[in-house]
Amino acid sequence: MNTEISVKTKSRNEFINITQEVQNVVNKSGIKDGVCYIFIPHTTAGITINEAADPDVVADIQQELNKIAPAGSHYRHTEGNADAHIKASIIGSSQAVFIENGRLKLGTWQGIFFCEFDGPRNRKVWVKIM
Ligand code: ZN
C-alpha cells in the first residue's frame, strides 16, 4: 500500500511535524503490526525523527546545519541551493518506523519531521505500509 502526503512549506528552512499525517496513513491501512516506510522524493528536503516536545531542539539542528552548509555562492552547483542539497544528504531521505497495535512505535519525545531546505515549495512524502 502506497500513500502520498502533500506538504506545503512556507519558509526556506522549515521542519514540519508530520507524525499525525503518517499515523493517519497507518490508521487507513488497517495494519496493526508492521513497518511504515517514509520516503522523501526530493533532493533539497529530507526527513528526520527527533524531539517534538521542545521546539528549541529543531531550532538547534537547523542552526548547526546552517553552520555546516551556509547559504552562499561559493559552491560549484550554481543553482543557488547547494546548501539545501548538502543538508538534505546529511539528514537523509527515508525513515522506517515499526507499527505496533496500529500505532507508530515512536519514543516518548520523538516526532517525524519533514525537513525543508529550499522552500517555500509544494512537497510530497511517500508512505508505504508493510
Ligand atoms: Zn540544485
Side-chain angles (χ1 to χ4, degrees):
M1 184 198 160
N2 294 300
T3 303
E4 186 174 292
I5 298 171
S6 296
V7 177
K8 196 174 176 62
T9 62
K10 297 186 184 76
S11 312
R12 182 145 201 276
N13 285 281
E14 183 179 8
F15 280 30
I16 298 173
N17 188 334
I18 59 167
T19 311
Q20 188 56 56
E21 284 79 1
V22 177
Q23 180 63 53
N24 291 345
V25 174
V26 174
N27 294 349
K28 278 187 199 136
S29 77
I31 290 174
K32 301 296 175 201
D33 276 278
V35 181
C36 175
Y37 290 96
I38 309 145
F39 184 83
I40 309 298
H42 302 290
T43 60
T44 55
I47 186 162
T48 194
I49 295 176
N50 214 302
E51 174 159 340
D54 179 1
D56 281 343
V57 172
V58 160
D60 285 337
I61 294 169
Q62 289 174 314
Q63 174 185 291
E64 297 308 306
L65 285 172
N66 283 333
K67 285 183 193 167
I68 295 167
S73 56
H74 57 290
Y75 298 102
R76 293 172 65 127
H77 179 63
T78 55
E79 218 175 28
N81 61 359
D83 59 315
H85 287 291
I86 293 164
K87 290 171 190 166
S89 258
I90 291 168
I91 290 293
S93 56
S94 67
Q95 291 288 341
V97 181
F98 302 138
I99 299 164
E100 209 172 85
N101 300 318
R103 303 289 306 170
L104 291 166
K105 195 170 166 63
L106 291 165
T108 305
W109 307 109
Q110 286 182 319
I112 304 167
F113 291 91
F114 179 90
C115 309
E116 176 64 83
F117 299 117
D118 193 25
R121 287 172 187 257
N122 292 314
R123 300 294 205 174
K124 297 172 196 161
V125 177
W126 292 344
V127 181
K128 188 173 188 78
I129 313 287
M130 313 247 330

